[in-house]
Amino acid sequence: MFIKHNFTSESELKMILDNIYSQSQKGKSFNGILEAVLNEVTIITAIHNIKSNKGANTPGIDGEKMDKYLQMDKDRLISLIRKKVNNYKPKPVRRHYIKKSNGKMRPLGIPSILDRIIQECLRIIIEPIAEAKFYPKSYGFRPYRATKHAIKDITTIISSRWKQPPAVAIEGDIKGYFDSICHRKLLKKLWKIGIHDKRILAIIKAMLKAGYMENDTLYDTETGTVQGGIISPLLANIYLNDFDWMVGRMYHYTKRRKSSNIATDRTRLRNEGIIPKFLVRFADDWIILTSTIKEATRLLKYLKKYFKHRLKLELSEEKTLITDMTENMAKFLGFMIKAELPRKTPENPNPSTIVGKSYPDMERVKTKVRQISSELKQIRFTGKNSYLQATIIENINAKIIGLSEYIKPSICSAAFAYIDNAINKLLHPLKYSLARNTGNIKFLYVSLPTDNKGI
């Protein structure tokens, strides 16, 4: 199917993207993608998307910032982008490191601004092709999906009425996932999901092979995608989509007979002795729920071979665990998942059905609170500069609210109480110190609620 590429407005572009999604759901493949990518409307939309990103003015190896291109004549900029794509040779990315929560350093690649614009143009057009074929229980880097949906999905699966609840979890961790993706296999998977424009595949291949600069030295990239590249999250999801469906078709989304629906087919599988298995994935983190330790052990042994031979990836021995959630908590995305009896109520004084419960990972919460506390202490060194004090307080409040919003979908009253007490304990001596320096200071911090309803 050739994609219509003579659209003249953003509303037309949205209609075309919706049509691409619906046709991709029917199994269609697509040609003529490059013309749609280089349409003026697509390029302008991509520039607006990047401009609104807080990292828009972070330069690549060429030192150019977004402001330079925003001040350029529109026709000249569009012509420049089209000319670069027609003979595409991306610049190497600039290597930058950020500190992870475990103290290790995560490598990020920062492409040049022009390469970012081209990546965003590609993402706009090919995302609906891939989205139509993605596994329903994959949540990372996808529109209208978030961490809270993944956590809610897990607890809902456990809480469904089962004779033998799926309370055994395989906590999966892929060793160095983004740096280990096989380029050859990725390009095959792009073709498989319906991207049949070889010019687009050649552009993506050039992006993957662009290399990176570190300490004025150019390094080749034989495997992996750039962590920090705009199109990288989409490519990472495409690479693991076959894994998602391989596990899903074992039980969760199997439909072997055209005459039966999924629920009927699941019942038939249970009657045949097939043990239920449910996969929930968020980027390179995934968890599989099943009913017995024996089945989890068997499945994990198979998955290790699958990742090694079919995906050229390796599971981490230390972080890939089997957990019986009736005895211990499973960790996933900064939450602790537990399978236990619900609390007693007047309507149900003796509960007997196991339900899934999620709690915040208190180690992560404490780490975040320590970071906030260290920033809060900087107020002591602002002297009588009330403007700087207000700026620091506003920034701290944003982080407190961000942390509370993240953990709010779980059972978080104890975590809220901890955050509230820790911040207030530090604020108490600061109030008197600031009152002496400035005469009066109005703190913006508001205590968090102690129930589960959030702010």
Side-chain angles (χ1 to χ4, degrees), residues 301-368:
K301 184 178 180 180
Y302 171 77
L303 289 177
K304 286 179 179 178
K305 294 179 180 178
Y306 179 89
F307 273 93
K308 183 177 181 180
H309 298 292
R310 299 292 293 273
L311 298 178
K312 304 299 180 184
L313 298 172
E314 188 177 351
L315 295 179
S316 171
E317 292 289 342
E318 306 84 37
K319 298 180 182 178
T320 301
L321 308 170
I322 294 176
T323 305
D324 185 346
M325 292 182 289
T326 59
E327 299 178 1
N328 300 298
M329 291 187 176
K331 290 185 179 181
F332 191 61
L333 304 177
F335 293 90
M336 309 294 287
I337 314 296
K338 180 74 172 173
E340 58 188 6
L341 294 174
R343 62 185 179 183
K344 296 179 181 180
T345 62
E347 294 79 14
N348 188 13
N350 295 304
S352 57
T353 304
I354 284 178
V355 298
K357 297 181 181 180
S358 62
Y359 301 88
D361 185 345
M362 287 305 298
E363 290 302 317
R364 285 197 178 191
V365 171
K366 289 176 181 179
T367 300
K368 291 291 184 183

Side-chain angles (χ1 to χ4, degrees), residues 202-213:
I203 290 171
I204 293 174
K205 183 178 180 180
M207 290 175 177
L208 296 171
K209 299 289 186 182
Y212 65 91
M213 291 289 292

Side-chain angles (χ1 to χ4, degrees), residues 42-141:
T42 307
I43 294 172
I44 292 172
T45 303
I47 292 170
H48 288 169
N49 291 348
I50 295 172
K51 183 182 68 174
S52 62
N53 190 295
K54 65 180 181 180
N57 270 321
T58 305
I61 64 166
D62 57 2
E64 303 290 354
K65 296 185 178 181
M66 191 65 178
D67 290 342
K68 172 188 173 180
Y69 299 102
L70 293 175
Q71 294 166 11
M72 193 180 291
D73 177 73
K74 184 186 77 170
D75 294 334
R76 183 185 165 204
L77 176 57
I78 291 171
S79 177
L80 176 65
I81 292 168
R82 287 173 175 170
K83 183 179 178 181
K84 184 174 176 66
V85 171
N86 288 331
N87 187 24
Y88 191 54
K89 293 180 181 178
K91 288 182 171 64
V93 299
R94 179 167 66 85
R95 177 59 65 91
H96 176 70
Y97 290 92
I98 59 171
K99 196 171 185 178
K100 296 168 66 174
S101 57
N102 60 6
K104 295 182 180 179
M105 303 301 289
R106 181 193 301 275
L108 292 182
I110 304 173
S112 68
I113 297 297
L114 276 180
D115 287 329
R116 268 182 259 179
I117 294 171
I118 293 167
Q119 287 190 26
E120 178 63 11
C121 291
L122 284 171
R123 187 202 63 79
I124 289 170
I125 302 300
I126 70 174
E127 186 176 63
I129 300 173
E131 275 292 324
K133 295 184 172 72
F134 278 160
Y135 186 64
K137 303 303 180 183
S138 166
Y139 292 96
F141 306 124

